[in-house]
Amino acid sequence: MSTNFWQLLGIDQTQDTTVIRQAYRAKLPSYHPETDPDGFKALREAYESAMNYANSPKTAVDETAQKSEEKEAPPLTEEQIKANEICDAYQALLEDPQRCYNIDEWQKFIGSFYDYPMTVIDSVKWRLLELSYETTNISESCVKILADNLRWRQQLMTQFTDEFEKYDNYLNHIERGDLFDYTCLPTTNKTLQNATIDYIYNAKWLFWERRSEDVYAFLCQDTVIYLPNDKKFMLEFAHWHSAASLKNQSILDYALKCIAEGDQDENIIIEWKYIAAIQYTLLEDKQNALQAWLELYYSGHYQQKIESWIAGWCVYFEKNYFPLLVMALNNSYCVAVDKTENYLHTIPQITATTTARLAGLEDIDEYPKEIVDFVNWALSTNWNYKQVLSILLLDDGDNRLYRLYRHAIMLRHGNERLLQEILDEQSDDPFEQFILQHLQRQARQHLAWLAELSPVQEFKTWLFDNNENAQLPPQFDPDENGKQVLYGRLWLDRFEDIPDIAQSHLYQSFRYSNMEMFDGVTFLKFNNYYQLPKSPDLSVIANNKEAYWQWYRWYLLVIAIFWEPIETAKYLRQENNTFIIDENNPFKPLIEIFKHGNWQNETELYNLINNDSRLINCVLNNYQNSIEWFIDAPHFIDFDDIEQKMEHTWTQKLVNRNPIYLMLLYIIVLNKPEQKNKLDTILQDITGDNKELIKIAKNLQNNWITPPFDSKEKYSYTQQVDEIITLAERLSNYYGICDESELEMLDKFKNSCDNDLVLRLCAALLIAKHRENQEKLESQPLPKNKWWQFWHWKGRTNIKGFIIQLCCSFIVLGLMTVLNNNFELNSPTFSIICYSIAVTNMVFALKRRFNDIYRGQPLIGFVGEILVFSLFFAPFWVSGIKHTNRFGPPVEKTTKEKEK
């Protein structure tokens, strides 16, 4: 293989393509395609052979180089020498760090063309284009001057037909100019210049073509470059860092310098302020970052972006404010009341953006419980005010955070006065003031529809009507699916001190589920449990701006005690100085136990509370796992669970209670064969050595026999206790059930807090037992009963079927009488058969009728009841059990009866 091409390139044999390329570029000015086409061709072939050798040294063969060895380079003409002088001068310009980016030097170089004939310039200009193309880190702005002077674009098509696209793209590239002002680079070191340009070029390419993570990784690399003092470029460079969320103190300092100089366009200054705010944030300069963001926000620029950055600032520096900030930034467009027929468009809504931000909260469990409650409240569809009672109670006037949360909640639940308090609020803290301004914007929206929306005014007109018999307009009636129910409910979701007549209208016309924030106080008042104090008048509020909120907060405390006694007790114990309770307040004893009682858990607290009033009983109905809670909700009773609670949770509550009542309670709960030993032990503990009680216990346990008269008087044994024991005996069998009147009696007895607590629990247990027995009966494959099934001994019939069946017997007897009188039948056997059929049919009718009223009493009792009922013709007027008993379901009604 000939190595002549290495000599032509002027380098030793190598596989380094960079060295080959540099040698080729150095030789190129000496061989122009126009003045020395053969030399240019030989140089190009030498370059290609060298590159082939670098890529495949074992197989590369340079035939062109072999031929060129045989020839000697022809002597250069004068024109070629002058062309080479121009190329050498151009190469020297490009390699001189002091001149390569100086436009004046380029102008001098271009001016030197006048020293050469036009034929030389025409021959060399395309070599200059190729040199420019091959040179890296060249100034496009300077090359453009050269391109315009030599008219490269105008003659490109005729000169480079095959490579037109390549050079055309290059000329388009230089039209864009330099990445920055290259004259800002130091003029002492070409290597530093190249390193800076390469770094900036790569960073820009990554910024536009790759992910922000790639930009971050590149900008984080340790390198030495020179940042040019080019404000336009530095702004772009700062944006790269911002996009990658990369902090840089130098960028911040440069931004502050540009802002202070103020010599740029106003929009550019805004961009520098934006960069400074980002860098303050990334550098964790809390106060300066906030001040910068707020200043930008109020200027009206980048508001959506700034909201996101402020949110990020809040998460990092003031995390507990973040859900509040999200609600404050909720921006719901509202149409003016007189501009739409759809009233819903006039009421602010929670936007999808706000919902997404709240739903996407990370580490929600790390927030305090009351803030988590706030988030859940905001995300729920019904916006139940009970969800945020805890955070509202915390606003005692001293904590700014909870005060702002209160304002956010009052956008939904606040009346006109509390919405006005939002508008009157001011804060010295800039971040809190920012939140307040957004809450005030929304408060004005809510005040507008509350004051102007016609459905709301119509609802209030009815509500405050002094006529006690004023009827709820049908459009607001939820039972009638009124079209404007929503607007009435939205108003009712904002509690205020309404007059008694208005409360009366609510109590008579709405179920509690539709009364929203008025349900609790209305229920307490009209059941004579508690009357909320009147709200402070304007004179009191004028002297104490917090007076109205403290009154409202007391109402919230009452509701919290009523609905969430355990959580409220925990709150009051921790914040025991936030409420001052009047001595005559009915809640005073209970609150004192909450605040100062010796309790560590829910059970100990429950045992400290005496159920000595209807108000306390009403509270304990909502104290989960209390006796009162199960009394109020017998459908939640599980007998195994009740047994556990009697042994542990309620032990102290059941101590020293009436022994007969306790016996009855334990027998109802534990009256099972497998529980006999346990029941015996408990009854022994109750009776002790008292022989009278021992006898009563045995009679109750074995035969459900009530105590003798003298014991009844001694142990407060009333007629109602007798009724409960009778029902307990019946319900002890799985087929024992109660009729409607008996269930009504039990329900009334358990709901009266004047009755003994243990007996009330017994009544609730019997209701649960009835439900349990009923489910067992209905689960059995019992046949359906028809009135015409006269032969069905174990079936049921109603009064109609009973009468028809009796009539059939009477008809048979009547016919026999007529036949005997008129035809003198002499067949005693036939008569006996007919009479027997009639009598048997009557017996079956009675049995089926008594089956219909059977509730599960013992056989002897049932027989006795049949005799008594027969004596008073009960089968003709006593209604049957309306649900399934041991003899199946009631007789099916006919279609006509169902329609009636």
Side-chain angles (χ1 to χ4, degrees), residues 395-422:
D395 178 22
D396 58 358
D398 295 331
N399 190 304
R400 295 292 308 171
L401 174 64
Y402 292 128
R403 186 178 185 85
L404 290 174
Y405 269 105
R406 180 245 289 188
H407 288 326
I409 296 168
M410 289 303 109
L411 292 175
R412 169 72 186 200
H413 295 302
N415 53 45
E416 284 89 342
R417 182 179 296 280
L418 290 170
L419 289 171
Q420 185 61 45
E421 286 190 7
I422 302 176

Short mmCIF file of all heavy atoms in Angstrom, two decimals, residues 395-422:
data_model
loop_
_atom_site.label_atom_id
_atom_site.label_comp_id
_atom_site.label_asym_id
_atom_site.label_seq_id
_atom_site.Cartn_x
_atom_site.Cartn_y
_atom_site.Cartn_z
N ASP A 395 -59.98 27.91 66.38
CA ASP A 395 -59.83 29.34 66.13
C ASP A 395 -60.35 30.13 67.33
O ASP A 395 -61.50 30.58 67.36
CB ASP A 395 -60.58 29.72 64.85
CG ASP A 395 -60.49 31.22 64.58
OD1 ASP A 395 -59.55 31.85 65.09
OD2 ASP A 395 -61.37 31.74 63.86
N ASP A 396 -59.48 30.32 68.32
CA ASP A 396 -59.87 31.08 69.51
C ASP A 396 -59.44 32.54 69.42
O ASP A 396 -59.56 33.28 70.40
CB ASP A 396 -59.25 30.43 70.76
CG ASP A 396 -57.74 30.36 70.68
OD1 ASP A 396 -57.18 30.78 69.65
OD2 ASP A 396 -57.12 29.88 71.65
N GLY A 397 -58.93 32.95 68.26
CA GLY A 397 -58.52 34.34 68.08
C GLY A 397 -57.03 34.57 68.16
O GLY A 397 -56.55 35.65 67.79
N ASP A 398 -56.27 33.61 68.65
CA ASP A 398 -54.83 33.80 68.84
C ASP A 398 -54.00 33.14 67.75
O ASP A 398 -52.81 33.46 67.61
CB ASP A 398 -54.39 33.22 70.20
CG ASP A 398 -55.00 33.98 71.36
OD1 ASP A 398 -55.27 35.19 71.18
OD2 ASP A 398 -55.22 33.38 72.42
N ASN A 399 -54.56 32.23 66.99
CA ASN A 399 -53.80 31.48 65.99
C ASN A 399 -54.19 31.96 64.60
O ASN A 399 -55.31 31.77 64.15
CB ASN A 399 -54.07 29.98 66.13
CG ASN A 399 -53.13 29.15 65.28
OD1 ASN A 399 -53.04 29.32 64.08
ND2 ASN A 399 -52.42 28.23 65.93
N ARG A 400 -53.24 32.61 63.91
CA ARG A 400 -53.54 33.17 62.60
C ARG A 400 -53.86 32.09 61.57
O ARG A 400 -54.72 32.27 60.70
CB ARG A 400 -52.34 33.98 62.10
CG ARG A 400 -52.02 35.21 62.92
CD ARG A 400 -53.10 36.25 62.79
NE ARG A 400 -53.41 36.55 61.41
CZ ARG A 400 -54.43 37.30 61.02
NH1 ARG A 400 -55.27 37.80 61.92
NH2 ARG A 400 -54.65 37.55 59.75
N LEU A 401 -53.17 30.96 61.66
CA LEU A 401 -53.40 29.89 60.69
C LEU A 401 -54.84 29.41 60.74
O LEU A 401 -55.53 29.33 59.71
CB LEU A 401 -52.45 28.73 60.95
CG LEU A 401 -52.67 27.47 60.11
CD1 LEU A 401 -52.44 27.75 58.64
CD2 LEU A 401 -51.76 26.34 60.59
N TYR A 402 -55.33 29.10 61.94
CA TYR A 402 -56.69 28.58 62.06
C TYR A 402 -57.74 29.65 61.76
O TYR A 402 -58.85 29.35 61.31
CB TYR A 402 -56.90 27.99 63.45
CG TYR A 402 -56.08 26.75 63.67
CD1 TYR A 402 -55.25 26.61 64.78
CD2 TYR A 402 -56.11 25.70 62.76
CE1 TYR A 402 -54.48 25.47 64.96
CE2 TYR A 402 -55.34 24.57 62.93
CZ TYR A 402 -54.54 24.46 64.05
OH TYR A 402 -53.77 23.34 64.21
N ARG A 403 -57.38 30.90 61.97
CA ARG A 403 -58.30 31.98 61.63
C ARG A 403 -58.51 32.03 60.11
O ARG A 403 -59.64 32.19 59.64
CB ARG A 403 -57.74 33.31 62.12
CG ARG A 403 -58.69 34.50 61.94
CD ARG A 403 -58.07 35.76 62.49
NE ARG A 403 -58.96 36.88 62.44
CZ ARG A 403 -59.87 37.18 63.36
NH1 ARG A 403 -60.00 36.38 64.42
NH2 ARG A 403 -60.65 38.23 63.25
N LEU A 404 -57.43 31.86 59.37
CA LEU A 404 -57.55 31.85 57.91
C LEU A 404 -58.31 30.62 57.42
O LEU A 404 -59.11 30.70 56.48
CB LEU A 404 -56.16 31.90 57.28
CG LEU A 404 -55.42 33.24 57.42
CD1 LEU A 404 -54.00 33.12 56.90
CD2 LEU A 404 -56.15 34.35 56.69
N TYR A 405 -58.07 29.47 58.06
CA TYR A 405 -58.85 28.28 57.71
C TYR A 405 -60.33 28.52 58.00
O TYR A 405 -61.20 28.06 57.25
CB TYR A 405 -58.34 27.06 58.48
CG TYR A 405 -57.26 26.29 57.75
CD1 TYR A 405 -55.94 26.38 58.15
CD2 TYR A 405 -57.57 25.49 56.66
CE1 TYR A 405 -54.94 25.66 57.48
CE2 TYR A 405 -56.59 24.78 55.99
CZ TYR A 405 -55.27 24.88 56.41
OH TYR A 405 -54.30 24.18 55.74
N ARG A 406 -60.61 29.21 59.09
CA ARG A 406 -62.01 29.53 59.40
C ARG A 406 -62.63 30.35 58.28
O ARG A 406 -63.75 30.08 57.82
CB ARG A 406 -62.09 30.30 60.72
CG ARG A 406 -63.52 30.68 61.11
CD ARG A 406 -63.77 32.18 61.12
NE ARG A 406 -63.09 32.81 62.23
CZ ARG A 406 -63.27 34.08 62.57
NH1 ARG A 406 -64.12 34.83 61.88
NH2 ARG A 406 -62.59 34.63 63.55
N HIS A 407 -61.90 31.34 57.78
CA HIS A 407 -62.43 32.17 56.69
C HIS A 407 -62.68 31.32 55.44
O HIS A 407 -63.68 31.51 54.74
CB HIS A 407 -61.45 33.29 56.37
CG HIS A 407 -61.40 34.37 57.41
ND1 HIS A 407 -62.50 34.75 58.14
CD2 HIS A 407 -60.36 35.15 57.85
CE1 HIS A 407 -62.17 35.72 58.98
NE2 HIS A 407 -60.88 35.97 58.83
N ALA A 408 -61.77 30.38 55.16
CA ALA A 408 -61.96 29.52 53.97
C ALA A 408 -63.21 28.67 54.11
O ALA A 408 -63.95 28.47 53.14
CB ALA A 408 -60.72 28.64 53.77
N ILE A 409 -63.47 28.17 55.31
CA ILE A 409 -64.66 27.36 55.55
C ILE A 409 -65.92 28.21 55.50
O ILE A 409 -66.96 27.78 55.01
CB ILE A 409 -64.54 26.63 56.90
CG1 ILE A 409 -63.37 25.64 56.86
CG2 ILE A 409 -65.83 25.90 57.26
CD1 ILE A 409 -62.99 25.08 58.21
N MET A 410 -65.80 29.45 55.98
CA MET A 410 -66.97 30.32 56.00
C MET A 410 -67.42 30.73 54.61
O MET A 410 -68.54 31.22 54.44
CB MET A 410 -66.67 31.57 56.84
CG MET A 410 -66.59 31.30 58.34
SD MET A 410 -68.10 30.53 59.03
CE MET A 410 -67.51 28.89 59.38
N LEU A 411 -66.58 30.55 53.61
CA LEU A 411 -67.05 30.79 52.24
C LEU A 411 -68.24 29.90 51.93
O LEU A 411 -69.13 30.27 51.16
CB LEU A 411 -65.93 30.53 51.23
CG LEU A 411 -64.74 31.50 51.26
CD1 LEU A 411 -63.67 31.03 50.30
CD2 LEU A 411 -65.19 32.91 50.92
N ARG A 412 -68.26 28.71 52.56
CA ARG A 412 -69.36 27.78 52.34
C ARG A 412 -70.40 27.85 53.45
O ARG A 412 -71.59 27.78 53.19
CB ARG A 412 -68.79 26.36 52.27
CG ARG A 412 -69.83 25.25 52.30
CD ARG A 412 -70.62 25.15 51.02
NE ARG A 412 -71.70 24.17 51.14
CZ ARG A 412 -72.30 23.60 50.13
NH1 ARG A 412 -71.94 23.89 48.90
NH2 ARG A 412 -73.26 22.72 50.31
N HIS A 413 -69.94 28.01 54.69
CA HIS A 413 -70.85 27.90 55.83
C HIS A 413 -71.11 29.23 56.55
O HIS A 413 -71.88 29.24 57.51
CB HIS A 413 -70.30 26.89 56.84
CG HIS A 413 -70.22 25.49 56.32
ND1 HIS A 413 -71.32 24.80 55.86
CD2 HIS A 413 -69.17 24.65 56.16
CE1 HIS A 413 -70.95 23.60 55.45
NE2 HIS A 413 -69.66 23.49 55.62
N GLY A 414 -70.48 30.30 56.13
CA GLY A 414 -70.64 31.56 56.83
C GLY A 414 -71.83 32.36 56.35
O GLY A 414 -72.10 32.44 55.15
N ASN A 415 -72.53 32.98 57.28
CA ASN A 415 -73.63 33.87 56.90
C ASN A 415 -73.06 35.22 56.45
O ASN A 415 -71.84 35.41 56.39
CB ASN A 415 -74.62 34.04 58.06
CG ASN A 415 -73.92 34.46 59.35
OD1 ASN A 415 -73.06 35.35 59.34
ND2 ASN A 415 -74.25 33.81 60.46
N GLU A 416 -73.95 36.18 56.16
CA GLU A 416 -73.49 37.46 55.63
C GLU A 416 -72.53 38.17 56.58
O GLU A 416 -71.56 38.79 56.14
CB GLU A 416 -74.69 38.37 55.34
CG GLU A 416 -75.46 38.03 54.09
CD GLU A 416 -76.56 37.02 54.36
OE1 GLU A 416 -76.51 36.34 55.41
OE2 GLU A 416 -77.47 36.88 53.51
N ARG A 417 -72.76 38.06 57.87
CA ARG A 417 -71.88 38.74 58.83
C ARG A 417 -70.47 38.13 58.81
O ARG A 417 -69.47 38.86 58.82
CB ARG A 417 -72.46 38.66 60.25
CG ARG A 417 -71.62 39.41 61.28
CD ARG A 417 -72.26 39.33 62.65
NE ARG A 417 -73.55 40.00 62.66
CZ ARG A 417 -73.70 41.33 62.77
NH1 ARG A 417 -72.64 42.10 62.86
NH2 ARG A 417 -74.89 41.86 62.78
N LEU A 418 -70.39 36.82 58.77
CA LEU A 418 -69.08 36.17 58.77
C LEU A 418 -68.36 36.34 57.44
O LEU A 418 -67.13 36.42 57.40
CB LEU A 418 -69.24 34.68 59.10
CG LEU A 418 -69.66 34.40 60.54
CD1 LEU A 418 -70.03 32.93 60.72
CD2 LEU A 418 -68.54 34.78 61.50
N LEU A 419 -69.11 36.44 56.34
CA LEU A 419 -68.49 36.76 55.06
C LEU A 419 -67.96 38.19 55.06
O LEU A 419 -66.89 38.46 54.49
CB LEU A 419 -69.49 36.57 53.92
CG LEU A 419 -69.88 35.13 53.59
CD1 LEU A 419 -71.04 35.09 52.60
CD2 LEU A 419 -68.69 34.36 53.02
N GLN A 420 -68.69 39.09 55.71
CA GLN A 420 -68.22 40.47 55.81
C GLN A 420 -66.96 40.55 56.66
O GLN A 420 -66.07 41.36 56.38
CB GLN A 420 -69.32 41.35 56.40
CG GLN A 420 -68.98 42.83 56.43
CD GLN A 420 -68.73 43.41 55.04
OE1 GLN A 420 -69.48 43.13 54.11
NE2 GLN A 420 -67.67 44.19 54.90
N GLU A 421 -66.84 39.69 57.66
CA GLU A 421 -65.63 39.67 58.48
C GLU A 421 -64.40 39.29 57.64
O GLU A 421 -63.29 39.75 57.91
CB GLU A 421 -65.79 38.71 59.65
CG GLU A 421 -66.70 39.24 60.75
CD GLU A 421 -66.66 38.38 62.00
OE1 GLU A 421 -65.83 37.45 62.06
OE2 GLU A 421 -67.46 38.64 62.92
N ILE A 422 -64.60 38.46 56.63
CA ILE A 422 -63.49 38.14 55.72
C ILE A 422 -63.06 39.38 54.98
O ILE A 422 -61.86 39.67 54.84
CB ILE A 422 -63.90 37.04 54.73
CG1 ILE A 422 -64.34 35.77 55.45
CG2 ILE A 422 -62.76 36.74 53.76
CD1 ILE A 422 -64.85 34.67 54.54
#
